[in-house]
């Protein structure tokens, strides 16, 4: 059987019209390992506790798709480059939308760190081409948490879990203009693994959106005010001391407060 996850990680990619961020997917034990060959059914046995972000280019526009001549996927997730999770998600996107460009933003989001993923996503997406952005930092994969596609005020589509990961980026990109819950299994890979929604739900959705799919085809609309939000820690400024929270430290030693 498939082991349940215990946390999530992250990495970033960007393709020329779809953008994605994921974190929280990891292999949990030997029983979760599945050999896969071209033409085989899609394998199960992954864990969305690690995350990544991707971007790809769209060609044309669906009824309410991204208005962009290019498809870009930007990916932020907790998948380490030593694992196969990010590559598998790349493969899913390319099998559905072989013409899309994918941009890797980072593979360094710490496992389960939704806060770090949201900060990095909000910081990087303004520099990405307009398109579809996939983000996965998903420690609650396999639970009733919602899977979303969010349209931003500047006409980007953000794909990822409803856990606070997407909203800060959307707010930097003109706010949440609309949101849909991803429930239509016609655009998913079957069977859906309970621990690898990055492969089976989010990556296929991002790829179809990059090809012009109307987000409404993925599922019903949800109220923007109902999206999960997390408050960033605020500094405490005193007369002799300032106390702040370190959100993360990059590999050069720069501290994000």
């Amino acid at each position: 059987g498939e082991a349940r996850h215990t946390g999530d990680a992250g990495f970033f990619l960007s393709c020329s019209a779809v953008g994605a961020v994921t974190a929280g997917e990891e292999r949990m034990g030997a029983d979760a390992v599945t050999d896969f060959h071209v033409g085989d059914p899609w394998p199960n046995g992954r864990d969305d506790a690690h995350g990544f972000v991707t971007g790809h280019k769209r060609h044309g526009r669906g009824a309410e798709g991204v208005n962009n001549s290019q498809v870009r996927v930007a990916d932020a997730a907790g998948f380490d480059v030593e694992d196969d999770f990010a590559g598998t998600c790349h493969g899913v996107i390319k099998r559905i939308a072989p013409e899309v460009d994918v941009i890797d933003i980072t593979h360094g989001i710490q496992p389960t760190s939704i806060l770090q993923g949201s900060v990095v996503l909000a910081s990087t997406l303004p520099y990405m081409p307009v398109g579809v952005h996939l983000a996965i930092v998903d420690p609650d994969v396999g639970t009733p948490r919602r899977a979303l596609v969010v349209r931003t005020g500047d006409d980007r589509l953000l794909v990822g879990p409803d856990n606070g990961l997407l909203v800060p980026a959307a707010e930097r990109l003109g706010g949440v203009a609309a949101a849909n819950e991803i429930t239509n299994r016609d655009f998913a890979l079957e069977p859906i693994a309970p621990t690898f929604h990055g492969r089976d739900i989010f990556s296929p959705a991002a790829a179809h959106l990059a090809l012009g799919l109307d987000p409404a085809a993925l599922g019903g609309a949800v109220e923007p005010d109902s999206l999960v939000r997390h408050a960033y820690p605020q500094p405490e400024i005193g007369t002799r001391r300032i106390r702040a929270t370190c959100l993360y430290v990059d590999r050069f030693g720069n501290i994000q407060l």
Side-chain angles (χ1 to χ4, degrees):
E2 294 189 3
R4 292 298 302 275
H5 71 283
T6 57
D8 61 6
F11 71 82
F12 291 168
L13 315 168
S14 182
C15 302
S16 52
V18 175
V21 175
T22 69
E25 306 191 0
E26 65 181 338
R27 182 181 295 121
M28 299 297 293
D31 291 342
V33 179
T34 303
D35 292 331
F36 174 68
H37 304 281
V38 174
D40 286 351
W42 293 101
N44 289 328
R46 291 296 187 274
D47 183 330
D48 277 354
H50 297 79
F52 69 87
V53 177
T54 22
H56 22 224
K57 180 190 298 182
R58 291 176 49 86
H59 297 277
R61 176 177 182 148
E64 292 297 333
V66 172
N67 186 8
N68 190 1
S69 61
Q70 294 184 330
V71 175
R72 303 193 184 280
V73 176
D75 170 58
F79 302 127
D80 191 88
V81 292
E82 295 179 357
D83 298 320
D84 60 317
F85 312 117
T88 298
C89 292
H90 271 277
V92 170
I93 291 168
K94 282 292 192 177
R95 289 185 68 163
I96 296 170
E99 299 302 317
V100 303
D101 298 327
V102 179
I103 301 170
D104 290 292
I105 297 174
T106 180
H107 297 269
I109 304 302
Q110 294 299 311
T112 72
S113 185
I114 298 170
L115 184 61
Q116 180 192 5
S118 68
V119 170
V120 174
L121 189 64
S123 298
T124 57
L125 287 193
Y127 300 96
M128 294 295 111
V130 172
V132 180
H133 304 293
L134 169 64
I136 306 170
V137 180
D138 197 9
D140 295 321
V141 60
T143 71
R145 71 93 183 90
R146 296 181 295 189
L148 297 175
V149 52
V150 173
R151 182 182 295 280
T152 65
D154 68 346
D155 208 28
R156 301 170 191 257
L157 297 178
L158 311 184
V159 178
D162 182 21
N163 60 9
L165 179 67
L166 306 179
V167 173
E171 290 176 342
R172 288 202 62 183
L173 299 169
V176 177
N180 294 77
E181 183 175 4
I182 302 172
T183 57
N184 189 345
R185 296 179 74 130
D186 289 343
F187 298 99
L189 300 184
E190 298 282 0
I192 296 174
T195 58
F196 201 3
H197 289 181
R199 178 194 64 201
D200 297 338
I201 296 176
F202 294 119
S203 291
H208 285 292
L209 291 169
L211 294 176
L213 183 71
D214 184 342
L218 293 173
V222 299
E223 287 295 326
D225 289 343
S226 73
L227 302 187
V228 173
R229 289 166 167 82
H230 293 297
Y232 287 120
Q234 298 299 308
E236 300 175 10
I237 302 175
T239 56
R240 300 179 59 185
R241 177 187 303 176
I242 297 176
R243 186 188 301 271
T245 300
C246 175
L247 301 180
Y248 71 94
V249 182
D250 67 24
R251 69 188 188 94
F252 293 101
N254 299 306
I255 298 174
Q256 176 73 50
L257 302 177

